[in-house]
Amino acid sequence: MAEVGSHDYEYVEAGTINVRDLPPLDATTNKIMKDEFTTGFGLTVFYFILIFSIPVMNWFAPEFAFKKIWGGMTITWFVTTVVMMAMAFIIAYVHTALYEKRLKKYEILNK
Amino acid sequence: MMKALLEPKMLMTIALMGTIVYITYLTKRNATASDFFVGGRSFGWFTNGSAIGGDYLSAATFLGIAGLTFQLGYDGAYYAFCFSIGLTLLAIFVAGPLRRFGAFTVADFLAYRFHSRRARLVAVAVVLAISGFYAAPQLLGAAQILSMFFGTSYEFGIIFTCIVMIFYVGIGGMKGTTINQALELWIRLGAFIVMLIAAMYSGLHYDKILAAINSFSGPITGTSPYALDGSDINFDGAAWTGTGFYFPTFWQTISMTIGLALGTIGLPHILLRFYTNPSAKAARKSALMAIGIASAFFLLAVYLGAVGRSIFISGTASEEVMRDLVLGGNNMVIPTTALALGGKWLLGLVIAGAFAAIFSNLSGLFITSSGALAHDLYASIMKKDITEKQRVIAGKVAIVILGILYGVLGLLVKDASIGHLVALAFTVAASTFTPIFILGIWWRGMTEKGAIAGLLIGLGVSMWMIFLPGTLPSFLQFKIPGIVTVPVGFLSVVIVSLLDRKVPADVNDFMKRVHSKESETA
């Protein structure tokens, strides 16, 4: 496989194959993909539930969403502008930590 | 003349320009295309994380988010929240695999995945469309700052900024761009932190100012001399702190959330940054650092927008501040608030920060688009047998062409909102490259025809819904149409791929490359 970014790689004839005739991925790549996708997908579903809960709360439970909790700070203002900013980092941090953990596991298995 | 040069805003701006020139001079040696387009893949997670933050936190963040909050209240703050989602999704699904793939440009990904000239060509068109959408509001911000604080015309501001960018990116390439972006990020963060301290010192605590704004209703004293109809501007604080001020329905809010949340994954200038890391591990750490910085930035931007509104309704601000808040519109709240909080020196720092935001983001767009023109279009399709030196020259020529092109776009958007224009760029990216990258990395069944169909249909539908909303039934008219365009983009790729079924014979090798273990690729 030619180096990416070199002049000749992109038009090297690879041919095409019907996706049904495609041989299965090798076991290691398959496992890495499955593990990573499962983690990422799980975190994303969790994150999106949190994300969409804000407009749902604002539009369908406004009395709760716009209840003041601290001076003029409402629940929804606090969640939208403070909690969710921290949540973006927490989700990404958990993903990175789990990835590093999986890498160590693969290294142990290889040894 | 000398007195004018000693003004803090002039000193800070000159210091910033001098630093840019110095860094550009130090990094001017770009012997190979790898040096010019991806900085020799030599930047670690701290520099690259700062540069990603610098690239991502554009004028839309530094000026636009605070401006949107100032103008729209809660709905403006909700904008900030939506902008904050995307980098996290990018870190989860795309950052690591993209670095392991390790190309020069976004279009390389498609060309390599499908061995296809057509896919590369379509990708170039989409890169240029998104970059144009993104560059125009950055230039608008630059021209407005120059106009408001240095008295220059809007047209001069556009031309001046384009000339600076052509020099800065054309000579420094990705190396100079990355170091400048990293430095510029910290200038902006510093400006925001100083503003936070000044606001807190003035007693403008978050809870107190929100309470004051919420309870305000009626005319704002001191605004009549600058208002179009000559009477004081009326303001309803309760509506400002509630939702529905800008997005009138639940579905409008959801549509924007989808468009902005998924847009970052498809922004070419952000994707390109992950090619500059030395390893996939560094790419993930860079993304994490950029997310931390971005989250802090968005939090501060919303707070400072509320501070601006609080100062505006208080009736205690100087005539200059009231004038600038009325005439500057929603885009100039941060500099004006800085003037109110800390006088000329803080204003000087903020103006330097605003230029830093604009230069940083524009440089990312210039380098990405020059890669699309010079590497993807010229060196890979039109004239393949050129030397490394000629490829670098082609990159520099492309930057001059882009400077002219973006300059014209900047002249066309004089009265637009920075934050909203950038949001539209996000929506176009979410409907075009986002499906391609997510499906291309995780689904072997994506075919060349599916990818091209996804890009073209996603782009076409986005443009139609943005520019010709009047031709659509009312239930399909969205301010930010992500709820329609993003599913259309994904479905186009999936449906056409399922009908086509012809995948590249070496797709397993590709999957192995982008998902292999760290030690095999770093």
Side-chain angles (χ1 to χ4, degrees):
Chain A
M1 196 174 266
E3 175 66 22
V4 179
S6 69
H7 295 289
D8 59 346
Y9 79 89
E10 67 264 51
Y11 308 120
V12 175
E13 272 305 319
T16 54
I17 183 170
N18 191 304
V19 72
R20 278 176 297 196
D21 303 327
L22 202 61
L25 271 172
D26 65 282
T28 311
T29 308
N30 196 34
K31 180 162 174 47
I32 290 171
M33 276 182 76
K34 268 190 180 165
D35 286 353
E36 190 161 357
F37 189 79
T38 307
T39 311
F41 188 72
L43 284 169
T44 304
V45 168
F46 173 71
Y47 193 29
F48 267 89
I49 289 170
L50 292 178
I51 289 165
F52 287 113
S53 70
I54 295 177
V56 169
M57 177 174 75
N58 290 343
W59 286 92
F60 299 105
E63 282 177 18
F64 172 75
F66 294 99
K67 192 176 167 185
K68 286 173 192 160
I69 52 169
W70 174 41
M73 180 81 76
T74 58
I75 289 173
T76 192
W77 192 291
F78 181 67
V79 172
T80 308
T81 66
V82 180
V83 176
M84 291 307 284
M85 298 302 170
M87 194 55 72
F89 182 78
I90 292 166
I91 298 275
Y93 180 80
V94 170
H95 177 260
T96 305
L98 290 174
Y99 188 90
E100 300 292 334
K101 203 173 155 185
R102 279 202 308 278
L103 275 184
K104 278 184 187 160
K105 194 177 85 180
Y106 296 143
E107 278 168 21
I108 291 166
L109 283 175
N110 278 350
K111 279 174 190 171
Chain B
M1 176 70 178
M2 197 61 199
K3 197 181 168 190
L5 282 174
L6 290 174
E7 277 277 301
K9 62 187 178 189
M10 290 297 282
L11 285 176
M12 295 283 193
T13 306
I14 291 166
L16 175 73
M17 297 289 183
T19 311
I20 288 174
V21 171
Y22 183 64
I23 291 172
T24 305
Y25 173 76
L26 288 181
T27 54
K28 70 181 190 301
R29 193 176 142 73
N30 284 293
T32 67
S34 171
D35 285 340
F36 190 78
F37 293 116
V38 289
R41 306 194 201 284
S42 57
F43 295 105
W45 64 270
F46 183 84
T47 310
N48 210 27
S50 302
I52 293 167
D55 220 341
Y56 190 60
L57 302 170
S58 59
T61 312
F62 192 77
L63 303 175
I65 292 296
L68 285 167
T69 306
F70 172 84
Q71 187 191 22
L72 309 174
Y74 178 81
D75 283 352
Y78 193 82
Y79 250 107
F81 155 62
C82 291
F83 277 125
S84 77
I85 302 167
L87 273 179
T88 308
L89 299 179
L90 186 110
I92 289 176
F93 287 114
V94 177
L98 206 59
R99 172 58 193 94
R100 278 190 288 264
F101 165 62
F104 281 174
T105 66
V106 171
D108 271 341
F109 178 86
L110 275 101
Y112 189 71
R113 176 80 162 77
F114 301 113
H115 306 265
S116 164
R117 274 192 178 87
R118 281 181 302 185
R120 182 187 284 280
L121 205 59
V122 173
V124 168
V126 179
V127 165
L128 294 177
I130 296 170
S131 300
F133 253 114
Y134 218 110
Q138 310 302 328
L139 286 164
L140 162 72
Q144 280 194 347
I145 293 169
L146 283 165
S147 172
M148 180 155 277
F149 298 104
F150 297 96
T152 57
S153 69
Y154 182 81
E155 291 72 20
F156 173 86
I158 297 283
I159 294 165
F160 172 79
T161 311
C162 286
I163 289 171
V164 172
M165 293 319 305
I166 289 169
F167 160 79
Y168 168 178
V169 185
I171 295 176
M174 183 55 111
K175 276 187 181 172
T177 299
T178 302
I179 297 169
N180 271 319
Q181 281 178 330
L183 175 84
E184 286 160 0
L185 172 92
W186 293 104
I187 293 172
R188 270 170 285 167
L189 194 56
F192 264 11
I193 290 169
V194 174
M195 283 185 77
L196 169 75
I197 294 166
M200 289 294 185
Y201 183 75
S202 305
L204 296 165
H205 300 292
Y206 216 166
D207 56 330
K208 287 180 187 169
I209 57 174
L210 286 176
I213 297 167
N214 198 8
S215 59
F216 187 97
S217 180
I220 301 173
T221 312
T223 54
S224 59
Y226 319 109
L228 283 176
D229 61 1
S231 56
D232 280 338
I233 294 169
N234 269 297
F235 176 68
D236 178 0
W240 188 88
T241 47
T243 192
F245 200 53
Y246 186 63
F247 294 105
T249 66
F250 172 73
W251 292 110
Q252 289 274 3
T253 313
I254 295 294
S255 185
M256 182 187 76
T257 311
I258 293 169
L260 265 61
L262 293 168
T264 312
I265 296 177
L267 291 177
H269 62 293
I270 303 293
L271 290 167
L272 186 69
R273 290 238 55 96
F274 291 99
Y275 292 148
T276 62
N277 277 117
S279 69
K281 188 174 181 176
R284 277 194 309 279
K285 277 191 172 179
S286 299
L288 194 59
M289 183 181 169
I291 290 164
I293 292 168
S295 299
F297 238 95
F298 288 122
L299 193 150
L300 287 173
V302 171
Y303 166 67
L304 292 171
V307 167
R309 176 56 74 178
S310 168
I311 291 170
F312 194 44
I313 62 170
S314 68
T316 56
S318 67
E319 277 183 30
E320 189 181 3
V321 167
M322 294 307 280
R323 184 200 65 206
D324 288 349
L325 285 174
V326 176
L327 298 179
N330 58 351
N331 295 333
M332 289 300 115
V333 172
I334 285 290
T336 312
T337 304
L339 179 67
L341 289 173
K344 289 181 177 178
W345 281 99
L346 187 52
L347 173 67
L349 179 62
V350 163
I351 289 176
F355 279 126
I358 288 157
F359 291 160
S360 185
N361 186 262
L362 271 174
S363 60
L365 291 168
F366 267 79
I367 201 87
T368 307
S369 306
S370 77
L373 283 179
H375 173 77
D376 294 315
L377 200 62
Y378 184 70
S380 299
I381 294 178
M382 292 165 71
K383 199 171 180 183
K384 285 187 72 182
D385 54 343
I386 59 173
T387 63
E388 285 289 314
K389 198 177 170 186
Q390 286 171 321
R391 294 175 86 198
V392 173
I393 292 168
K396 293 181 180 188
V397 172
I399 281 162
V400 176
I401 295 168
L402 289 163
I404 297 165
L405 183 71
Y406 290 161
V408 172
L409 288 176
L411 291 171
L412 296 174
V413 295
K414 192 173 180 178
D415 299 317
S417 156
I418 295 175
H420 185 65
L421 277 179
V422 169
L424 294 178
F426 269 65
T427 307
V428 177
S431 319
T432 51
F433 281 130
T434 299
I436 301 300
F437 275 90
I438 290 185
L439 295 172
I441 285 171
W442 296 99
W443 183 41
R444 292 188 304 164
M446 186 170 92
T447 69
E448 179 205 6
K449 288 193 177 93
I452 292 174
L455 283 174
L456 291 176
I457 295 171
L459 182 67
V461 172
S462 305
M463 293 296 174
W464 182 18
M465 295 195 75
I466 288 168
F467 290 114
L468 302 167
T471 61
L472 298 161
S474 58
F475 71 94
L476 280 178
Q477 291 179 15
F478 291 96
K479 287 181 176 172
I480 297 173
I483 197 168
V484 178
T485 59
V486 175
V488 165
F490 271 96
L491 283 173
S492 309
V493 179
V494 173
I495 291 170
V496 175
S497 295
L498 289 176
L499 291 172
D500 179 26
R501 289 184 174 270
K502 286 177 186 148
V503 295
D506 66 347
V507 66
N508 282 359
D509 292 341
F510 178 88
M511 287 295 166
K512 192 173 178 178
R513 182 182 188 113
V514 296
H515 293 287
S516 56
K517 285 173 286 185
E518 210 86 338
S519 54
E520 291 172 6
T521 53

